[in-house]
Amino acid sequence: MPIKVLSSLDAARIQWYHFKAIIVAGMGLFTDAYDLFCIAPVMKMISHVYYNGDSINTAVLSTSYAIALLGTATGQLVFGYLGDRVGRRRVYGLCLIIMILSSFGCGFSVCTTRRSCVMVSLGFFRFILGLGIGGDYPLSATIMSEFANKRTRGAFIAAVFSMQGLGILVSSAVTMAVCVAFKRGAGGLEVDAAAPTEADVAWRLILMIGALPAALTFYWRMLMPETARYTALVENNIVQAAKDMQRVMSISHISDEATTGPPPPPLPPSYKLFSRSFFRLHGRDLFAASLNWFLVDIVFYTSNLLLSHIFSHYSKKPSSAENVYDAAFEVAELGAIIAACSTIPGYWFTVYFIDKIGRVKIQIMGFFFMAVVYLVAGIPYTWYWSKHEHNNKGLMVLYGLIFFFCNFGPNTTTFIIPAELFPARFRSTCHGISGAAGKLGAIVGTVGFLWATKKMEGDDKNQVYPEVNRMRIAFLILGGVCIAGIFVTYFFTKETMGRSLEENEHEQDNNDEIEVEPQIVDGQSSASTLLQS
């Protein structure tokens, strides 16, 4: 017997609460992107303040990038699991509190003279920040998927995720504004001037501003009710689920469930998380979601590092001919251009087409075009792109297409698909596992790139530099990763468009029941008994 409140949610018209949920949930992703992507210009400033403008040691730099990603992976696993155990809403607020406090903690990193003390303190708070960011991923996706109707569910989840693009853009804009303000406040700086003491305040301010969007949405996040699917299917309280939905949405045909006690829902299947039955029914989906996210994050995070290094390689201005504010401004300006021209349009193309084309086709298309661009840029890189100055703009246009098709492709769909495939009692956990696999891919790509491009000769042995042959190899490897993503998506990823979460959830169960050898019990087969129940 279908539960009316869930059927009504699937058929509900688009209404104001859907957009409110997008904004409230999306602000978490906005904060996530701000905090994760503002670190590049901040590290530029730190290199001027504490390293006298020299490049930061590769071990320190790779650790500073990886520690937040490691915290994010941990948060996805821990809070994803808690979201299924104690409820989405309760854990959702905790993640936001962690993000707010740790953002301020990053700004108040202890010590102002000893760089080792500053980096350790910053690393500690970045790890805690990563825990909150990681928890926000599975909870935001799960909450939006469970509130949405089945016709536009993909667009709603993609709209939540698209707030990342806005977060990247705002982090760049804030960084540029802070740099300009502090530079003017200092009366302007000479090109090779030493970093003033105020610069130590500037990078801390940039990090602390990231707490504001999360703080502003905390009140509305706490007003959100628990999702009807969690209340009805996990807590087995259909009456409360119907009352919660009537309070925030206009949904017909559920008044009887809200006022009378309907028959209890079917008991959850007997199998547990990671049991043999779980892997038989959902192991393929979890494998595909995790591996696809792992592959795309290798590409996405490595591409962001490659971008700044390519631009610095082609820049006519030597790296030493800039002061602390100009150095950070240039990195932030580059991020803003890419976000405005490639990243944000890619997100919103996905929002528009996700429920028209489907998740699998968009994911394959994104991987395919990224592979093409990497191969076109990588194969002739040593004899064409790196030696012809007039081709710089062409290479940058190609590189912009990578970010467009990454977001109009697997970077967005890998966030959506795990929120639709798994049973309600495992949904947040499985999304967290998939996301944690992605962040491990991000660590592999980030740390691997930094060490692979480490210059080993001369006085600058710790300087990261895009040596031409290594850049070519990096392009070709990333192209190969994208081709692997095409095969994994084609052979293992299931389409979820246009079906309710319960239809996606029970498809494997129904197939399994049909394949069971029927056993006659009291004149009826056990398989038919299962189907009737």
Side-chain angles (χ1 to χ4, degrees):
M1 176 181 176
I3 300 175
K4 288 183 180 179
V5 64
L6 304 187
S7 302
S8 299
L9 279 174
D10 284 331
R13 58 180 175 82
I14 299 174
Q15 45 197 286
W16 164 245
Y17 190 77
H18 287 128
F19 295 103
K20 182 179 178 181
I22 289 172
I23 295 171
V24 174
M27 273 300 158
L29 275 297
F30 175 99
T31 305
D32 300 346
Y34 181 102
D35 290 323
L36 287 177
F37 287 91
C38 73
I39 195 64
V42 164
M43 293 305 292
K44 272 286 186 181
M45 299 182 77
I46 289 176
S47 70
H48 281 261
V49 175
Y50 294 102
Y51 292 82
N52 299 319
D54 297 329
S55 295
I56 300 176
N57 182 280
T58 304
V60 175
L61 189 62
S62 59
T63 302
S64 67
Y65 281 111
I67 195 162
L69 296 172
L70 182 61
T72 302
T74 305
Q76 287 172 315
L77 293 173
V78 172
F79 291 111
Y81 175 76
L82 291 177
D84 287 330
R85 295 291 293 177
V86 302
R88 287 70 157 119
R89 178 180 173 273
R90 294 177 184 174
V91 184
Y92 210 29
L94 178 60
C95 292
L96 205 63
I97 293 173
I98 292 174
M99 282 193 286
I100 294 169
L101 296 179
S102 56
S103 293
F104 282 113
C106 290
F108 285 109
S109 295
V110 297
C111 301
T112 57
T113 55
R114 295 179 58 190
R115 65 189 186 190
S116 60
C117 183
V118 171
M119 298 306 293
V120 169
S121 177
L122 179 61
F124 170 78
F125 285 112
R126 292 282 296 174
F127 180 82
I128 301 301
L129 175 64
L131 292 177
I133 290 174
D136 205 72
Y137 271 78
L139 294 170
S140 291
T142 300
I143 286 173
M144 196 66 246
S145 71
E146 293 181 345
F147 273 123
N149 62 57
K150 67 180 181 180
R151 183 173 58 86
T152 58
R153 184 179 63 241
F156 287 160
I157 305 174
V160 170
F161 195 63
S162 71
M163 296 295 284
Q164 275 199 338
L166 189 58
I168 297 171
L169 182 62
V170 170
S171 74
S172 298
V174 168
T175 300
M176 290 189 288
V178 169
C179 289
V180 169
F182 273 76
K183 184 178 179 180
R184 288 181 178 176
L189 291 177
E190 297 294 332
V191 169
D192 56 351
T197 56
E198 292 81 5
D200 192 48
V201 178
W203 69 263
R204 297 169 185 270
L205 179 62
I206 293 169
L207 292 174
M208 288 191 289
I209 289 176
L212 296 180
L216 291 174
T217 58
F218 179 77
Y219 173 76
W220 287 276
R221 185 173 284 199
M222 289 297 93
L223 290 181
M224 294 180 71
E226 183 58 81
T227 68
R229 285 182 162 88
Y230 184 85
T231 304
L233 299 177
V234 181
E235 296 182 336
N236 294 332
N237 191 341
I238 297 178
V239 174
Q240 187 60 46
K243 289 179 178 179
D244 288 342
M245 292 304 98
Q246 278 191 323
R247 182 163 57 88
V248 296
M249 299 177 68
S250 175
I251 302 178
S252 58
H253 309 302
I254 65 170
S255 58
D256 56 336
E257 285 188 342
T259 56
T260 64
L267 292 175
S270 58
Y271 65 89
K272 298 180 180 180
L273 184 67
F274 301 143
S275 65
R276 183 178 301 177
S277 295
F278 172 85
F279 283 113
R280 176 165 44 87
L281 297 172
H282 307 291
R284 172 178 168 173
D285 294 334
L286 185 59
F287 166 79
S290 300
L291 185 54
N292 279 321
W293 208 329
F294 177 84
L295 295 173
V296 74
D297 271 10
I298 290 177
V299 175
F300 183 71
Y301 283 85
T302 307
S303 298
N304 277 284
L305 284 179
L306 277 170
L307 180 65
S308 60
H309 285 78
I310 290 172
F311 267 85
S312 64
H313 179 55
Y314 286 129
S315 177
K316 296 180 180 179
K317 182 190 297 184
S319 59
S320 60
E322 56 186 12
N323 59 55
V324 57
Y325 300 124
D326 291 338
F329 187 96
E330 288 184 1
V331 174
E333 182 181 37
L334 176 60
I337 292 171
I338 293 297
C341 298
S342 298
T343 304
I344 294 176
Y347 282 126
W348 285 99
F349 265 70
T350 305
V351 171
Y352 183 78
F353 287 106
I354 189 72
D355 290 311
K356 296 179 173 63
I357 299 177
R359 287 76 162 141
V360 171
K361 290 180 180 178
I362 287 178
Q363 188 159 299
I364 291 176
M365 176 199 68
F367 272 129
F368 173 78
F369 281 109
M370 284 195 295
V372 169
V373 173
Y374 273 123
L375 296 178
V376 168
I379 292 174
Y381 186 81
T382 54
W383 55 268
Y384 187 70
W385 299 111
S386 64
K387 295 182 179 179
H388 294 76
E389 186 177 322
H390 64 279
N391 291 321
N392 294 354
K393 292 182 179 179
L395 180 60
M396 293 306 105
V397 171
L398 279 177
Y399 213 75
L401 290 175
I402 292 172
F403 288 96
F404 176 80
F405 283 109
C406 189
N407 293 298
F408 183 32
N411 191 42
T412 306
T413 53
T414 51
F415 180 80
I416 295 172
I417 292 173
E420 300 178 311
L421 277 177
F422 301 100
R425 69 190 188 283
F426 302 142
R427 186 168 293 137
S428 179
T429 301
C430 292
H431 194 286
I433 293 171
S434 304
K439 290 302 169 280
L440 291 180
I443 293 172
V444 169
T446 302
V447 176
F449 171 78
L450 289 172
W451 282 95
T453 55
K454 177 182 175 182
K455 195 169 183 179
M456 300 300 295
E457 299 177 358
D459 297 333
D460 297 329
K461 66 178 181 179
N462 286 321
Q463 180 182 3
V464 175
Y465 183 81
E467 196 267 339
V468 170
N469 288 327
R470 293 179 180 180
M471 291 294 288
R472 179 174 181 268
I473 293 172
F475 281 147
L476 297 180
I477 290 175
L478 292 175
V481 171
C482 293
I483 292 173
I486 294 173
F487 282 99
V488 174
T489 303
Y490 182 80
F491 288 107
F492 296 102
T493 304
K494 188 192 305 178
E495 181 58 69
T496 58
M497 178 180 67
R499 298 185 298 180
S500 72
L501 296 179
E502 287 67 45
E503 289 171 338
N504 290 328
E505 171 185 336
H506 292 302
E507 181 184 39
Q508 293 291 346
D509 301 77
N510 292 336
N511 290 340
D512 184 69
E513 289 168 4
I514 292 172
E515 293 172 1
V516 170
E517 183 73 23
Q519 300 176 358
I520 304 300
V521 180
D522 296 332
Q524 286 187 322
S525 69
S526 58
S528 63
T529 304
L530 282 171
L531 291 171
Q532 289 174 5
S533 63

